[in-house]
Amino acid sequence: MVQNYHRDAAGHLRWRTAEKEGGPGLPPSSRAVVSPYDTSARYARHGHIISWKGFSAHLTETCAPDSPNVITDVATTAATTHDSKVLPGIHTRLSRRGLLPAEHLVDAGYTSLPHLEQATREHQVTVSGPLRSNPTRQHRRDEGSARDDFHIDYDRHQVTCPQGQVSQGWHGPYPTSSPTAAPLIVARFTKSQCQPCPARTRCTTSRESTRTVGFPPRELRDLQLRVRTEQQTPEWKTRYAVRSGVEGTVNEFAHGYGMRRCRYRGQGKAHIQHVLTAIAVNIERLSGLPPTEEAPTPRRPTAFQNYLDQREIPRLKSWRTLGS
């Protein structure tokens, strides 16, 4: 394939390698063609275990306790698209259909701070999911002064460190390179403040012996603190546990309907396959509903249970009995 070759300085055709060493290297995952059968397929990896070539499907379903879970939205994206970028589009489509939930339970990949604020502001939807904790070195190691140990005064544009020093600079908010990251305000302390400080070695590793503290604007900072505090409560954890049910739906898609195997080329046709699969799942779930005044139809025992019954082999009490 053309992407796997390049011409060197002498004009000779060379095979691309991951090590640049003066060469162009491999193209980024968002542009690299990984399949000769579908040039729109991309390679993605989550952690060190899960990797695939193709697309990503994002499923949204209801989770009411007194009714079957119905899939309300299916999004198909490139495999390299970050999960948090999908959330605004999901809410826009659900709003257009009149299916917006009051609370949307999502996993940690969807909980970017700007999109949590956007969902509340534009759609009055509370997005609940694990919000990333403070990423600073001091917070991870539980040593030294992390960002949360600094007092932020938004009205005076000042930040006070744990040693009582007041910042001498306030800049921003600056937009970040990632659309899923909040804009940052940067407060700066001078060298004359930080260099003689006895706690300097536990505060920063800057070569200039100064400290800068970055944090989001006030409304996003308040939201961040409130969400992080709330998700530590037992009530939030109990409510959020309902989200695990969608993993069964993903498994049903993948193993019951073969969603991980694209039947057509191109992201557009893959999306049609995902939507038709969701329709099939909804039909199956809704068709199994009993009339409102009748009891649910009992499930029949498995062939193995029938085998045990025919030979009068006792079954465990946890197994369902005949007709249940």
Side-chain angles (χ1 to χ4, degrees), residues 9 13 44 52 61 63 151 153 161 165 168 202 208 210 214 220 295:
L13 205 60
W52 73 98
E61 68 175 358
C63 54
H151 175 70
D153 189 335
C161 80
Q165 296 290 336
Q168 300 300 308
R202 292 170 51 82
E208 299 179 357
T210 61
L220 294 181

Side-chain angles (χ1 to χ4, degrees), residues 309-323:
D309 292 340
Q310 293 170 2
R311 285 156 180 77
E312 298 182 353
I313 300 176
R315 296 187 293 172
L316 297 177
K317 293 182 179 180
S318 60
W319 290 9
R320 60 179 183 265
T321 58
L322 183 62

Side-chain angles (χ1 to χ4, degrees), residues 1-70:
M1 296 165 56
V2 176
Q3 277 192 336
N4 290 331
Y5 296 90
H6 73 98
R7 292 189 180 278
D8 60 14
H12 300 296
L13 205 60
R14 302 293 184 185
W15 180 263
R16 291 179 181 264
T17 60
E19 297 78 14
K20 294 187 178 181
E21 295 181 357
L26 296 176
S29 296
S30 59
R31 293 186 306 180
V33 176
V34 296
S35 171
Y37 306 103
D38 189 344
T39 56
S40 63
R42 295 293 180 263
Y43 170 82
R45 181 178 65 187
H46 284 184
H48 299 286
I49 300 176
I50 302 175
S51 63
W52 73 98
K53 299 175 182 178
F55 311 98
S56 292
H58 308 263
L59 307 177
T60 305
E61 68 175 358
T62 61
C63 54
D66 55 350
S67 61
N69 296 342
V70 178

Side-chain angles (χ1 to χ4, degrees), residues 165-192:
Q165 296 290 336
V166 179
S167 63
Q168 300 300 308
W170 179 287
H171 308 280
Y174 297 116
T176 56
S177 58
S178 171
T180 63
L184 284 181
I185 298 173
V186 179
R188 302 182 183 276
F189 294 84
T190 63
K191 183 182 296 187
S192 61

Side-chain angles (χ1 to χ4, degrees), residues 46 52 55-61 71-87 90 93 104 107 109-110 246 249-250 253 259 267 271 274-275 278:
H46 284 184
W52 73 98
F55 311 98
S56 292
H58 308 263
L59 307 177
T60 305
E61 68 175 358
I71 299 170
T72 57
D73 185 80
V74 179
T76 304
T77 65
T80 53
T81 301
H82 195 273
D83 291 346
S84 60
K85 296 182 180 180
V86 185
L87 199 59
I90 293 176
R93 291 188 296 273
H104 196 170
D107 68 20
Y110 297 86
V246 78
T249 299
V250 174
F253 263 69
M259 186 181 65
Q267 182 175 323
H271 177 62
H274 295 164
V275 171

